[in-house]
Amino acid sequence: MATQKSWIRGAGSAAAGLALTVGTVSTLIAQHHQLKMLRLRLERCERTDRSEQQRHVNLANQQRLQWELLSKAMEDPALAAVLDTYEDPVPPAKHRQFLFANALYTNALLAYRIGNVSRMELFGHLRGTLQNPIFREYWEVTRAARASLEDDSVEARVGRMVDHLIHELDEADTEEWWVVGTPPEQ
């Protein structure tokens, strides 16, 4: 009888040890799988981050090139004539002002797109810029060009925000322009 109980105890201990081993191996396999999935997510995030950084570099390079081209056009009326796409004739001095207004706007838009300024900061900057009648005139004469933007593009959304802000500024019954308007969520 003692031998039989010893054998049963030994078998029970072996079964418990086997169960513990199987449980440990299962846990290790599950942890290995989770670690592998985390590693894949991290690699995806790193690729996305590098891609976003490259996009910002590309936008900044494009902005620098845009500024160089606009600068040349502002200095040389013959080159500025190439950029004259307005419906009505614009005198050369006014055209240079419009080119500069365009440079100011695209610079603010770039700062927003690459995350240097928040939407609220962009809104505040543009609210101040809209106090200038030359910028307002530029904005109006370039309306047709903005109509060709894709509706869901960043530039189209910002353009609609500016249009709405102009309306709010025009309708405001206060001289405190810096408190007029609320930036839209998107």
Side-chain angles (χ1 to χ4, degrees):
M1 190 77 128
T3 308
Q4 194 175 23
K5 285 184 180 179
S6 167
W7 181 82
I8 291 174
R9 246 182 297 152
S13 294
L18 181 60
L20 180 63
T21 302
V22 168
T24 302
V25 168
S26 295
T27 301
L28 287 173
I29 289 171
Q31 286 177 345
H32 176 74
H33 178 71
Q34 286 177 334
L35 184 60
K36 184 178 178 181
M37 296 308 291
L38 285 172
R39 197 174 301 125
L40 289 172
R41 283 179 57 197
L42 179 61
E43 288 171 2
R44 236 183 334 224
C45 287
E46 287 173 345
R47 279 193 307 271
T48 300
D49 189 44
R50 282 191 301 269
S51 174
E52 187 67 13
Q53 287 175 358
Q54 186 59 50
R55 188 175 81 72
H56 289 174
V57 167
N58 292 346
L59 283 169
N61 286 336
Q62 175 63 38
Q63 178 67 23
R64 188 179 63 247
L65 178 60
Q66 173 77 2
W67 173 248
E68 289 173 12
L69 292 170
L70 288 176
S71 293
K72 288 180 180 189
M74 284 185 277
E75 293 168 3
D76 185 344
L79 296 178
V82 175
L83 297 175
D84 186 350
T85 58
Y86 311 114
E87 278 186 34
D88 297 323
V90 176
K94 177 70 73 175
H95 191 214
R96 282 193 300 279
Q97 290 173 331
F98 286 173
L99 293 173
F100 190 73
N102 175 265
L104 289 176
Y105 174 70
T106 57
N107 184 60
L109 182 64
L110 174 70
Y112 171 67
R113 290 178 74 178
I114 64 175
N116 284 356
V117 298
S118 68
R119 188 169 184 80
M120 184 60 112
E121 290 169 322
L122 175 66
F123 182 82
H125 171 76
L126 292 172
R127 181 172 45 200
T129 303
L130 288 169
Q131 300 310 301
N132 183 287
I134 296 168
F135 186 86
R136 287 255 193 140
E137 186 179 357
Y138 154 78
W139 193 257
E140 186 55 40
V141 300
T142 58
R143 182 172 302 285
R146 288 189 305 283
S148 66
L149 296 172
E150 290 185 31
D151 244 12
D152 62 341
S153 71
V154 173
E155 190 170 355
R157 288 194 309 266
V158 170
R160 286 190 300 272
M161 180 179 75
V162 172
D163 289 339
H164 184 71
L165 181 55
I166 288 171
H167 176 74
E168 287 181 317
L169 287 165
D170 289 345
E171 297 296 315
D173 60 356
T174 180
E175 295 297 316
E176 298 173 339
W177 58 265
W178 56 91
V179 298
V180 174
T182 306
E185 294 299 315
Q186 283 293 343

